[in-house]
Amino acid sequence: MKNIAEKTKIVEVIPYDPAWKKEFIRLRDFLLEITGDLIMAAEHVGSTSVEGLSAKPIIDIDLVMESYEVFPEIVQRLSQYGYVHQGDLGIEGREAFRREQEDGFMKYHLYVCPKDGKGYLEHIALRDYMRLNPAAAREYEEVKLKLADQFRYDIDAYCEGKTEVVHSILRRAGYII
């Protein structure tokens, strides 16, 4: 059964939970069983990947492929396990998937990305910079908490509101936007 936040789509940012790292590992291992020979890496990205950072309790995972040459086989394999390809959802270099049935994992977003894809490179740059720069992580956290309070029932406005601070951190990380 889904919790109340999932039913009503409440934007919820909660304190960091060390269980997120363990859940990523469980999810990574499951996905590697399916696609391991086709991908180069499985990366924990997003706010749950930055120790100490408050986040929406949703794991973001990037499966990294050498090139789009292997993508059709990845789609085919994932589809055998109930995953549906959703396209890039407007972000170049990041192919989104959702699972059609309950799978025993906490909520997560699955992306398949080429190693040189914009979506993947931004995920890694943001994650790594915040891991190394606690002040940037706190700045991001403050914005997220404020936006979650302000846009509790509007995930689109919440996401849009983060854009400026994300771009600012990416520029400081040396990533050209």
Side-chain angles (χ1 to χ4, degrees):
M1 180 166 171
K2 293 186 179 208
N3 67 34
I4 199 128
E6 288 176 301
K7 285 182 188 174
T8 58
K9 305 282 188 197
I10 294 172
V11 178
E12 178 184 39
V13 175
I14 64 173
Y16 178 80
D17 185 342
W20 294 339
K21 188 183 290 187
K22 293 175 185 157
E23 187 68 0
F24 163 75
I25 292 168
R26 276 187 354 104
L27 183 57
R28 177 201 66 198
D29 291 349
F30 172 73
L31 292 167
L32 287 176
E33 286 180 28
I34 300 169
T35 62
D37 62 319
L38 298 172
I39 63 166
M40 303 169 54
E43 296 281 354
H44 188 185
V45 295
S47 296
T48 61
S49 71
V50 180
E51 198 166 315
L53 180 61
S54 294
K56 293 192 319 294
I58 302 168
I59 302 292
D60 290 314
I61 184 167
D62 286 354
L63 297 181
V64 186
M65 60 187 168
E66 180 73 33
S67 73
Y68 270 99
E69 203 171 280
V70 296
F71 186 66
E73 177 68 15
I74 291 171
V75 171
Q76 191 272 329
R77 286 194 196 172
L78 288 173
S79 72
Q80 291 176 348
Y81 287 84
Y83 289 94
V84 175
H85 180 221
Q86 299 175 281
D88 68 10
L89 301 180
I91 299 180
E92 174 189 340
R94 184 191 84 173
E95 302 293 334
F97 289 80
R98 79 169 185 282
R99 194 133 189 226
E100 290 289 288
Q101 70 271 358
E102 176 57 44
D103 58 13
F105 295 104
M106 69 179 275
K107 193 169 182 183
Y108 62 94
H109 295 147
L110 173 61
Y111 305 106
V112 176
C113 311
K115 67 180 181 181
D116 56 355
K118 182 180 187 288
Y120 170 67
L121 295 175
E122 285 181 358
H123 281 167
I124 295 301
L126 186 66
R127 179 199 69 190
D128 290 353
Y129 189 81
M130 287 194 298
R131 283 179 173 175
L132 294 172
N133 296 277
R138 295 291 79 77
E139 174 189 3
Y140 186 46
E141 180 178 65
E142 288 173 17
V143 168
K144 288 165 38 107
L145 289 167
K146 180 181 145 225
L147 290 168
D149 187 51
Q150 184 178 358
F151 299 111
R152 192 157 178 78
Y153 301 99
D154 188 347
I155 188 66
D156 294 330
Y158 167 82
C159 291
E160 187 177 310
K162 295 187 310 177
T163 302
E164 186 178 320
V165 71
V166 167
H167 286 175
S168 171
I169 293 170
L170 285 171
R171 281 191 294 275
R172 283 179 266 160
Y175 186 84
I176 308 300
I177 298 172

